[in-house]
Amino acid sequence: MGSKVAMNSFRNGGWQTEEFASENPFKKGEAFEMFIVPKPEGYQVFVNGKEHYMFKHRMPLETVTALNIVGHINANLFGFIENWSIPSFTKESKTTITSLGSSRWGLSTEQSEVLHPVQNPILPYVGTIPGGLRAGMALYLQGVIPTNADKFAINFKTGQSDKDDVAFHFNPRMGSKVAMNSFRNGGWQTEEFVSENPFKKGEAFEMFIVPKPEGYQVFVNGKEHYMFKHRMPLETVTALNIVGHINVNLFGFIENWSIPSFTKESKTTITSLGSSRWGLSTEQSEVLHPVQNPILPYVGTIPGGLRAGMALYLQGVIPTNADKFAINFKTGQSDKDDVAFHFNPRMGSKVAMNSFRNGGWQTEEFVSENPFKKGEAFEMFIVPKPEGYQVFVNGKEHYMFKHRMPLETVTALNIVGHINANLFGFIENWSIPSFTKESKTTITSLGSSRWGLSTVQSEVLHPVQNPTLPYEGPIAGGLRAGMALYFDGNVPTNADRFSINFKTGQSVKDDIAFHFNPRMGSKVVMNSFRNGRWQTEEFASQNPFKKGEAFSILIGIKSDGYKVHVKGQELFMFKHRIPLEKVTTLNIKGNVSISFFGFIMDK
């Protein structure tokens, strides 16, 4: 960093002649993406959309078998692309947003295209504005204010250096005002202030900054915040800078922004949001005003109020140290407001339900069966019916709590306690048939979006993200030939071993039809367990699992056995010892981080 880019080769125990690129596109604290393209003449390097260098071959391509990455870099994702071409590479990056809003405010960039989206940038961030800034565009930014935040700033600049002018400096200061200014010819100009500050410590937000002919129009959480009149021409603005105490989830520019498209009701069409080990799905259901990873305690209005036929959908995980949590349907957002329905699972005990009226709790009702377990994922629906609140947990009806207060008095939702809520939102016109449809996720892109790349669309049935291990769950519909199990994961640097087990049941005594057991620094072992005993071990000739490295696994279920591919290469075929129709359960345990798994069916 701060110097050249060096390129070389190493052969017969020694480094060869170095080559240098004088332009270094890699900057400290900045995100990047790159392609290295092996061509007949050499390695062609692209960084941030621009061809950087061609390093001519010194060794035959066919002798290259391994990739090594070392040094000071945060690698978010890497992988290989078949049939790469310049045209597919140079497509303009854009993401179609159905809803990315912290949708408690009813915002939506519904069907708007965010160009050149940047996710989780490392701050301070500075980068060019593709095509320059012009009226009619909008900067969209979604983030969270850390609990220890002091201030942050968004700067529209005439260049990327510290000395360049700032046409618009937007500077929220926590617990104080929002300051706005410009910086020209080496000095700050006259500050302007907004006394109302919508940014709060520990809270999520979303905002738009819209360059208009007269100035920069700022919207925060669905409300127009300020208009900062131009002090410098728009056409001189070429760079965006973000600094300070802010966690930015995503930002990008929208072309042809308009108030009507901005104020449409927020909704997300869900293909699958289930912890889909139970085969649930809100497939093709629209979750209105979805909220992802809310900071608890959460309290917010129910858009349009509560009414029969709606459903609250919530997906989450119970922490391993959890005590209890509660979901409250309230008549208002203050602590003194009535609670029409208090749903209160207590770990290792019962599920309590109650109401709170006129300053006091009423008669508790209990469910002795508690489906919430420490360390386990769950999904649930609470469905207001004419007679009461119907609760479903993990695909099973759990309880009906009869109304004690009229539905029309309920205006707010409150979530408190020991729970990690991944996502929640309301579904209109909920019904049992739509609820029990098979869960599936169409994967359209797992890669870098700047150049519009995409993986082939595959349907993963019953996807599970970031499962808590050890994991054990039923295989929906049972195991059959023609299916495949897909995993994405990472081997921790301190890993010893892990295993994936196809079992005939969920108890420790049940048979294991296929035990896949990579051991770090050793072999990959495969076996079966029947009638209380392990059988003859089989071994793979190579072990592709390395400490600290990511991997993908595809286990194809064939009529003759389990065909295992790791990182795109066939590893082993383990022939059946127990009939497929007896396999009902998947088990994962050991030292491994699984980011995603699910079943794929042949089309």
Side-chain angles (χ1 to χ4, degrees), residues 205-259:
F205 69 91
E206 65 177 359
M207 64 183 294
F208 293 83
I209 298 179
V210 187
K212 309 286 273 188
E214 63 275 25
Y216 295 87
Q217 190 177 28
V218 181
F219 294 83
V220 183
N221 300 343
K223 180 179 176 183
E224 184 175 354
H225 186 64
Y226 202 76
M227 169 67 80
F228 182 84
K229 291 185 179 178
H230 290 305
R231 299 176 179 178
M232 301 179 201
L234 267 179
E235 58 268 21
T236 65
V237 177
T238 61
L240 178 72
N241 169 234
I242 306 171
V243 297
H245 296 146
I246 179 178
N247 294 328
V248 179
N249 299 331
L250 178 140
F251 75 85
F253 286 90
I254 298 171
E255 295 277 11
N256 305 317
W257 189 89
S258 66
I259 289 282

Side-chain angles (χ1 to χ4, degrees), residues 557-571:
I557 316 303
K558 304 292 187 181
S559 57
D560 51 343
Y562 298 86
K563 192 172 186 179
V564 183
H565 289 78
V566 180
K567 301 178 182 179
Q569 300 293 319
E570 184 174 345
L571 182 71

Side-chain angles (χ1 to χ4, degrees), residues 98-228:
T98 306
S99 172
L100 275 173
S102 77
S103 34
R104 62 183 79 176
W105 303 286
L107 306 186
S108 178
T109 53
E110 184 177 6
Q111 294 306 313
S112 292
E113 287 181 339
V114 176
L115 304 181
H116 310 289
V118 178
Q119 290 183 306
N120 304 310
I122 297 171
L123 300 189
Y125 168 88
V126 65
T128 57
I129 299 172
L133 201 62
R134 52 204 176 276
M137 293 173 64
L139 171 69
Y140 172 78
L141 190 147
Q142 182 192 82
V144 177
I145 305 299
T147 55
N148 63 343
D150 177 24
K151 58 186 174 181
F152 72 92
I154 299 169
N155 299 302
F156 289 81
K157 303 183 63 175
T158 60
Q160 296 189 45
S161 82
D162 292 340
K163 296 180 181 179
D164 285 309
D165 290 344
V166 179
F168 179 39
H169 169 74
F170 182 76
N171 176 214
R173 299 168 184 179
M174 300 313 115
S176 182
K177 301 174 181 178
V178 175
M180 287 162 286
N181 207 341
S182 55
F183 179 89
R184 183 156 43 183
N185 299 326
W188 288 104
Q189 301 189 282
T190 305
E191 276 193 326
E192 300 178 25
F193 296 98
V194 183
S195 57
E196 180 189 352
N197 188 339
F199 301 93
K200 309 296 181 189
K201 292 183 181 184
E203 291 190 10
F205 69 91
E206 65 177 359
M207 64 183 294
F208 293 83
I209 298 179
V210 187
K212 309 286 273 188
E214 63 275 25
Y216 295 87
Q217 190 177 28
V218 181
F219 294 83
V220 183
N221 300 343
K223 180 179 176 183
E224 184 175 354
H225 186 64
Y226 202 76
M227 169 67 80
F228 182 84

Side-chain angles (χ1 to χ4, degrees), residues 181 221 240 292 296 329 374 420 453 461 482 499 517 586 592 598:
N181 207 341
N221 300 343
L240 178 72
Q292 291 182 306
L296 301 188
F329 289 82
K374 292 183 181 184
N420 294 328
L453 304 180
L461 305 180
S499 66
N517 176 214
L586 179 69
V592 65

Side-chain angles (χ1 to χ4, degrees), residues 9-16 59:
S9 55
F10 181 90
R11 183 157 46 182
N12 299 326
W15 288 104
Q16 301 189 282
M59 302 179 201

Side-chain angles (χ1 to χ4, degrees), residues 293-429:
N293 303 310
I295 296 170
L296 301 188
Y298 167 89
V299 64
T301 58
I302 298 171
L306 201 61
R307 53 202 176 277
M310 292 173 64
L312 171 69
Y313 173 79
L314 190 147
Q315 180 194 86
V317 176
I318 306 298
T320 54
N321 63 343
D323 177 23
K324 58 186 174 181
F325 72 92
I327 300 168
N328 299 302
F329 289 82
K330 303 184 63 176
T331 60
Q333 296 189 44
S334 82
D335 293 340
K336 296 179 180 179
D337 286 308
D338 290 344
V339 179
F341 178 39
H342 169 74
F343 182 76
N344 176 214
R346 300 168 184 178
M347 300 311 115
S349 181
K350 301 174 181 178
V351 175
M353 287 162 287
N354 207 341
S355 56
F356 178 89
R357 184 154 45 182
N358 299 327
W361 288 103
Q362 301 189 283
T363 305
E364 275 192 327
E365 300 178 24
F366 296 98
V367 183
S368 57
E369 180 189 352
N370 187 340
F372 300 94
K373 310 296 182 189
K374 292 183 181 184
E376 291 191 10
F378 70 90
E379 66 177 359
M380 64 182 295
F381 292 84
I382 298 179
V383 187
K385 310 285 268 188
E387 63 275 23
Y389 297 87
Q390 190 176 28
V391 181
F392 294 83
V393 182
N394 300 343
K396 179 180 176 183
E397 183 174 355
H398 186 64
Y399 201 76
M400 169 66 81
F401 182 84
K402 292 186 179 177
H403 289 304
R404 299 176 181 180
M405 301 179 202
L407 268 179
E408 58 268 20
T409 65
V410 177
T411 62
L413 177 71
N414 169 233
I415 306 172
V416 297
H418 296 146
I419 179 180
N420 294 328
N422 299 331
L423 179 141
F424 73 85
F426 286 91
I427 298 170
E428 294 276 12
N429 306 316

